[in-house]
Amino acid sequence: MCGIIGYIGSKEAVPILLDGLKKLEYRGYDSAGIAVLKDNKIKIVKCKGKVAKLENLLEKDAPKGNIGLGHTRWATHGKPNDINAHPHNGCNSEIVVVHNGIIENYMSLRERLILEGHNFISETDTEVLPHLIESNYHNDFTLAVKESLKEIEGSYAIGVISTRDPGKIVASRCGSPLIIGIGEGEMFLASDIPALLIYTNRVIFLEEREIATITKDGVEIINSKGKILHKKVINIDWGEEMIEKSGYKHFMLKEIFQETMVIRNNLEGRINLSTKTLQPENLPLPLDRIKEIERISILACGSSYYTALAGKYIFEELTGIPVEVDYSSEFRYRKILLGKKDLAILISQSGETADTLAALRACRKAGSYILALTNVRGSAISREADSVMYIKAGPEIGVATTKAFVSQLMCLYILSLYFAQVRKTLDLSEINKIISELIKIPQMVEIILLKEPEIIKLSEEFHKYHNFLYLGRGINYPIALEGALKLKEISYIHAEGYAAGEMKHGPIALLDKTFPVVVIVPQDKVYTKVINNIKEVKARDTLVLAIATEGDKEIINIADKVIYIPKTLDILYPILSVIPLQLFAYHIADRLGCDVDKPRNLAKSVTVE
Ligand code: AGP
């Protein structure tokens, strides 16, 4: 997954391209480059390494020009090096391309183009694009791109410039996001909103296989058949300050401390805080659809999959509807048994995860009703779903998700309460009781965040270990999985989440004093079972950190260290227990000097298979 930025206007392109690449670096950062067109020449500067290294190169000798493209890469084909970095040009530097995605038939195209006399210098799939466009270029730049893309199998978001038509950028997408920013006498192209927000909040989201011809005065968009489209301009209401770090060391830490706010955002308009009742008028799905649902399938990847797992416990507990949960990447290749009475819920913060988009399309073919839970308006998943519930987390820049995770959980709680009310599986007093607790969650989160100093101290004690086991039971089992993922993805320490009851079926063989265990053990209906698990772990001399309920007097005599969270209803503990685990992972990774916002090998949104 990579980041693309483009500019055409009257300003110098390089500063704008660099600024955009810095904001897109979370999408991929193993190499970066820019291309600038001036006086019928295109100059390319690119290198292995992060955008900062490219910036140093440009300090000495930045090419002048008012039209350019930039790219920050997450390598798929061809290792990270100067030659494989984007942009890529064709045989005679007349056509230059940046690309995000995977061209699955690039080898056959490359072989054919070599036979036609084209010379390749990189190992990338992308390099076939400029050569293909050259071979299709007669006298119409847009047509050359359009004809070339017809031969591409796979996913792409591309920006193309050409010395043969120097006043234009041609762009297109299929499976990877691409946004056009509309300025005054200048236009922008980007993979994601943060890269262009300081210049304009007026954007057009390109849709599948649409082709944009961008000049400094505007854009013409056609579909794959060449028909001119009149696209809606969307005004993005994200403030610029939401993009910056606001004084935090990392975006991830800022986003953890935004969790109180985003939980409140998700309550607003959906729950009347004074009457403690739902506001159905702002909730997705028509009533008749909710009444006829016989089964729910929730599909997602990574942390979103863990919220889906928690969603199973929540929906089944409150609505009695059977719920199946699956990794999108597994679901999409299995025999799809869904039908018209099934509700498919696709959860994706970015709304662009390739496997989840493919799972959505499989559900579409099966005829299920599709509800998306996503954070990004105009994202592919939001556009292809029948209904969308926005998780209202604001831009999440840190690669490791935090505030979006709790926002997704909030949406699942509110949805389940709504379904329970419509299907009368809970009476109004029961719904009111849960809502009364749910609206206290923001201040409970505040209480937990105040414990950061004690978590920093714990990170000092725990950061030297190389293996962790995270345990949870029932609705807290998915939180054990998420806690382990948070630690491993930003600190590179091996951590495994497990159902506490399963520990005796294998993992306990791993335990000794070098292998700490983190246990989520609130005073819920399985408390004594988990206490027994902790005692079995302690019998192996293992260090135990417990996430426990405020007021629990027993736990401190059993676990070595305890982080207390406020008491609440059993079903609501996940949204509280995950927060100390996020802070714990963050401070261990920070203490180890890891690049917390941009962990190695990861990307914020995996738009390739
Ligand atoms: C979470 O910290 C990871 N960055 C990753 O597992 C992520 O949750 C996954 O890639 C799904 O992303 P999505 O929610 O945008 O679909």
Side-chain angles (χ1 to χ4, degrees):
M1 207 275 302
C2 311
I4 288 173
I5 181 81
Y7 174 73
I8 183 166
S10 50
K11 300 187 183 91
E12 281 304 321
V14 167
I16 294 170
L17 299 178
L18 273 176
D19 180 68
L21 288 180
K22 286 176 193 165
K23 294 206 169 54
L24 291 169
E25 208 171 10
Y26 67 91
R27 299 174 61 86
Y29 30 83
D30 55 46
S31 53
I34 57 113
V36 179
L37 193 160
K38 183 178 174 67
D39 301 338
N40 276 353
K41 277 199 185 57
I42 298 175
K43 187 151 171 28
I44 294 177
V45 180
K46 60 183 185 176
C47 60
K48 177 182 176 183
K50 294 188 173 172
V51 173
K53 189 165 168 225
L54 174 69
E55 191 168 24
N56 289 339
L57 277 181
L58 289 166
E59 246 157 40
K60 303 178 193 96
D61 173 21
K64 299 288 180 217
N66 313 123
I67 169 172
L69 298 170
H71 185 276
T72 181
R73 184 174 183 236
W74 182 65
T76 54
H77 293 72
K79 54 185 176 303
N81 62 28
D82 295 359
I83 292 176
N84 290 334
H86 298 211
H88 287 281
N89 62 28
C91 295
N92 47 22
S93 299
E94 286 182 354
I95 309 274
V96 169
V97 175
V98 289
H99 166 235
N100 171 23
I102 288 184
I103 299 173
E104 294 179 355
N105 62 331
Y106 82 97
M107 282 313 286
S108 57
L109 289 169
R110 185 181 171 117
E111 283 153 18
R112 191 192 85 199
L113 289 159
I114 287 170
L115 288 175
E116 291 173 4
H118 290 262
N119 301 314
F120 286 80
I121 57 170
S122 82
E123 302 159 310
T124 67
D125 54 337
T126 299
E127 196 185 354
V128 297
L129 283 165
H131 291 284
L132 203 51
I133 296 166
E134 263 174 2
S135 67
N136 285 314
Y137 202 130
H138 306 302
N139 51 20
D140 183 322
F141 185 15
T142 305
L143 187 61
V145 175
K146 176 168 166 288
E147 291 310 304
S148 302
L149 292 176
K150 282 181 183 167
E151 300 185 61
I152 299 296
E153 291 164 22
S155 60
Y156 57 80
I158 62 167
V160 193
I161 54 178
S162 168
T163 57
R164 296 171 63 173
D165 204 338
K168 289 174 186 169
I169 296 177
V170 177
S172 185
R173 64 153 289 172
C174 177
S176 298
L178 205 53
I179 300 160
I180 296 163
I182 300 166
E184 301 297 326
E186 57 186 11
M187 296 288 280
F188 305 85
L189 180 68
S191 299
D192 203 351
I193 294 166
L196 41 79
L197 204 55
I198 58 168
Y199 306 106
T200 178
N201 69 343
R202 301 176 63 237
V203 301
I204 292 173
F205 289 94
L206 264 191
E207 301 198 45
E208 294 295 73
R209 299 187 184 282
E210 292 178 346
I211 298 165
T213 304
I214 307 166
T215 65
K216 66 181 178 57
D217 302 316
V219 59
E220 180 180 271
I221 297 173
I222 58 174
N223 65 14
S224 54
K225 294 186 175 58
K227 177 174 178 285
I228 293 178
L229 304 172
H230 299 287
K231 304 280 289 180
K232 197 164 82 169
V233 175
I234 292 177
N235 287 314
I236 298 296
D237 58 359
W238 290 354
E240 192 183 315
E241 68 291 339
M242 289 165 89
I243 306 295
E244 299 312 322
K245 288 182 193 165
S246 314
Y248 287 91
K249 185 175 180 183
H250 295 103
F251 279 110
M252 183 178 174
L253 191 59
K254 173 186 170 187
E255 286 150 8
I256 292 171
F257 279 84
Q258 287 180 326
E259 288 176 332
T260 308
M261 174 185 68
V262 300
I263 290 171
R264 288 204 177 97
N265 290 349
N266 279 285
L267 289 167
E268 205 177 302
R270 294 166 174 163
I271 287 185
N272 182 317
L273 301 182
S274 45
T275 60
K276 298 187 177 63
T277 54
L278 291 163
Q279 294 175 275
E281 67 278 11
N282 297 326
L283 292 170
L285 272 83
L287 287 186
D288 59 330
R289 177 68 63 175
I290 295 174
K291 286 177 182 150
E292 69 182 24
I293 293 167
E294 288 173 1
R295 180 179 52 175
I296 295 172
S297 277
I298 315 180
L299 309 162
C301 297
S303 294
S304 293
Y305 171 78
Y306 299 145
T307 62
L309 269 186
K312 173 180 174 64
Y313 290 90
I314 300 166
F315 269 107
E316 289 183 345
E317 182 76 21
L318 301 186
T319 71
I321 304 172
V323 179
E324 286 175 9
V325 181
D326 214 334
Y327 284 116
S328 304
S329 55
E330 287 297 313
F331 177 83
R332 65 183 289 193
Y333 291 114
R334 261 224 305 285
K335 184 175 171 55
I336 309 295
L337 299 175
L338 300 183
K340 295 202 179 322
K341 298 272 190 211
D342 291 304
L343 171 66
I345 301 178
L346 287 296
I347 304 179
S348 174
Q349 185 282 132
S350 63
E352 298 292 350
T353 297
D355 285 319
T356 304
L357 183 57
L360 182 152
R361 291 169 178 167
C363 297
R364 170 71 68 218
K365 262 169 76 179
S368 305
Y369 192 89
I370 294 167
L371 169 65
L373 263 57
T374 186
N375 194 31
V376 182
R377 291 181 183 283
S379 60
I381 287 170
S382 71
R383 283 204 312 277
E384 296 193 22
D386 296 308
S387 293
V388 183
M389 185 171 191
Y390 286 101
I391 66 170
K392 301 202 278 187
E396 186 175 69
I397 308 300
V399 166
T401 189
T402 50
K403 61 175 182 172
F405 186 89
V406 296
S407 301
Q408 288 167 359
L409 286 178
M410 282 303 289
C411 287
L412 291 165
Y413 285 121
I414 293 167
L415 262 184
S416 303
L417 287 165
Y418 178 38
F419 282 28
Q421 181 168 296
V422 169
R423 295 168 65 109
K424 299 185 179 16
T425 51
L426 291 178
D427 61 36
L428 287 181
S429 65
E430 289 169 310
I431 290 174
N432 190 274
K433 179 172 170 250
I434 297 170
I435 288 178
S436 303
E437 275 301 305
L438 196 60
I439 60 181
K440 292 179 196 160
I441 293 291
Q443 59 260 46
M444 291 181 180
V445 168
E446 288 286 0
I447 291 167
I448 297 169
L449 293 173
L450 289 172
K451 296 170 185 275
E452 186 188 21
E454 67 181 84
I455 296 172
I456 292 172
K457 271 181 61 212
L458 287 170
S459 71
E460 201 172 332
E461 179 166 355
F462 281 88
H463 80 281
K464 55 185 182 307
Y465 290 99
H466 301 293
N467 293 286
F468 281 78
L469 184 63
Y470 282 67
L471 299 178
R473 249 186 216 265
I475 197 167
N476 292 300
Y477 162 47
I479 306 306
L481 296 171
E482 170 63 7
L485 175 62
K486 283 282 108 25
L487 184 68
K488 71 181 129 195
E489 70 175 323
I490 60 175
S491 69
Y492 317 140
I493 294 173
H494 170 251
E496 204 169 345
Y498 238 89
E502 274 299 294
M503 189 198 43
K504 296 186 298 297
H505 301 279
I508 198 164
L510 292 169
L511 300 185
D512 59 25
K513 58 182 181 307
T514 70
F515 208 117
V517 175
V518 179
V519 191
I520 304 159
V521 55
Q523 285 177 312
D524 61 9
K525 63 186 177 193
V526 290
Y527 174 75
T528 48
K529 302 294 176 200
V530 182
I531 289 290
N532 292 340
N533 293 141
I534 297 175
K535 287 175 181 168
E536 287 152 11
V537 166
K538 284 306 298 167
R540 275 81 190 170
D541 279 344
T542 296
L543 189 59
V544 173
L545 166 62
I547 310 294
T549 311
E550 202 79 61
D552 178 344
K553 300 278 181 276
E554 188 185 350
I555 189 68
I556 194 58
N557 303 320
I558 303 166
D560 299 286
K561 303 290 177 187
V562 183
I563 303 172
Y564 291 98
I565 58 176
K567 187 164 189 53
T568 186
L569 299 176
D570 287 9
I571 197 165
L572 299 181
Y573 274 120
I575 205 157
L576 300 180
S577 57
V578 74
I579 293 170
L581 302 182
Q582 293 171 344
L583 284 170
F584 184 66
Y586 170 82
H587 283 294
I588 286 181
D590 185 43
R591 186 177 295 280
L592 292 171
C594 296
D595 193 341
V596 171
D597 282 334
K598 300 191 287 283
R600 68 185 182 197
N601 308 336
L602 291 182
K604 182 62 183 171
S605 164
V606 183
T607 58
V608 293
E609 272 204 63

